[in-house]
Amino acid sequence: MSSLVFFFVPAVIFVGLVLPLWLVLHYISKWRSAKGLSGEDKQALETALAEVDHLEDRLRTLETILDADHPNWRDEQAVK
């Protein structure tokens, strides 16, 4: 009987206290590490933002050309 208690009590303590605490702390650390963007995600975001800036520049250039060639083009678009 004493050998059964010798193994049973530490097992109950481990399963009741140590294991849940271990699991909670493990998943908290996983959550904190996954909280931010990965390096690949950051690179993709920066590439997309650079492309947006490039397209905005092109749009401004096209509007400048249209303003020079057809000064009232904005009014004509609003009427249609």
Side-chain angles (χ1 to χ4, degrees):
M1 180 71 178
S2 65
S3 63
L4 182 64
V5 172
F6 179 73
F7 291 110
F8 185 68
V9 172
V12 169
I13 291 173
F14 180 79
V15 170
L17 297 175
V18 176
L19 187 63
L21 182 62
W22 188 2
L23 287 172
V24 168
L25 292 176
H26 170 73
Y27 284 109
I28 287 174
S29 68
K30 289 286 187 183
W31 174 70
R32 285 185 181 164
S33 68
K35 198 174 187 180
L37 295 175
S38 68
E40 185 177 310
D41 291 340
K42 287 179 184 179
Q43 181 64 31
L45 182 60
E46 288 185 19
T47 303
L49 288 174
E51 186 68 24
V52 167
D53 289 338
H54 176 69
L55 291 173
E56 283 179 345
D57 291 340
R58 288 184 66 175
L59 183 61
R60 274 191 227 105
T61 302
L62 289 171
E63 287 179 345
T64 304
I65 292 169
L66 281 171
D67 286 336
D69 289 347
H70 302 285
N72 296 328
W73 72 271
R74 292 175 200 263
D75 296 332
E76 292 171 7
Q77 291 296 321
V79 172
K80 291 183 181 180

